[in-house]
Amino acid sequence: MPPACPLSTGAPCPDHRDLVAQISAQSACNMANHRTEQDPGHEYCGLICCREYETGHVIYMTGPIGGGTNPKGTANCNPLKAPCIPGDKVLAHYHSHPAWSTGFIPGPSEADQAWANHYNVPLHTCRGRYGVDRVNGDGSITTGWTQADTR
């Protein structure tokens, strides 16, 4: 099984606003940003997943896996290539922005917004080591939240 956060009490799985899910997204972004620092110009991505048990649930992350470059020459990454275990719930997607490694911190792109809208699942774009921009499933954006923010 992929890296997991501690077993949480209560089922079913929470939504992406759950504190453990948000901490998982921040941890996943930290790993993705580290990979981007080592491999400038490339995005790294994955999923935040949840497995339900009778006595609770486990939230875990997949990846980060490396992305490629689209025909326009822009870095991209498909988090669905790092799938959740079959039958588990996708809480959110995440990915790094390669420009972060050069000091520029971009917000979510139009492609990020389209992705979140298409799947109706939040997409977390990594904002350095201390925050995350979240494109919510309805297309709205929550910028720069941190581990302590449970909006």
Side-chain angles (χ1 to χ4, degrees), residues 42-142:
H42 293 95
E43 289 186 354
Y44 285 82
C45 64
L47 300 173
I48 307 298
C49 310
C50 185
R51 170 165 278 197
E52 294 180 351
Y53 295 94
E54 288 182 23
T55 57
H57 60 270
V58 172
I59 295 175
Y60 63 93
M61 62 199 85
T62 66
I65 60 164
T69 305
N70 66 25
K72 295 178 183 177
T74 306
N76 62 15
C77 191
N78 182 351
L80 299 179
K81 290 185 177 182
C84 296
I85 296 169
D88 290 356
K89 179 179 179 181
V90 176
L91 297 181
H93 306 106
Y94 71 90
H95 76 269
S96 61
H97 273 173
W100 178 79
S101 62
T102 64
F104 175 67
I105 303 174
S109 67
E110 288 182 15
D112 295 337
Q113 292 173 305
W115 183 278
N117 284 335
H118 177 76
Y119 289 100
N120 196 29
V121 173
L123 174 74
H124 298 86
T125 56
C126 309
R127 180 182 281 274
R129 295 230 183 265
Y130 304 106
V132 175
D133 291 330
R134 182 179 66 230
V135 181
N136 301 299
D138 63 4
S140 64
I141 298 173
T142 304

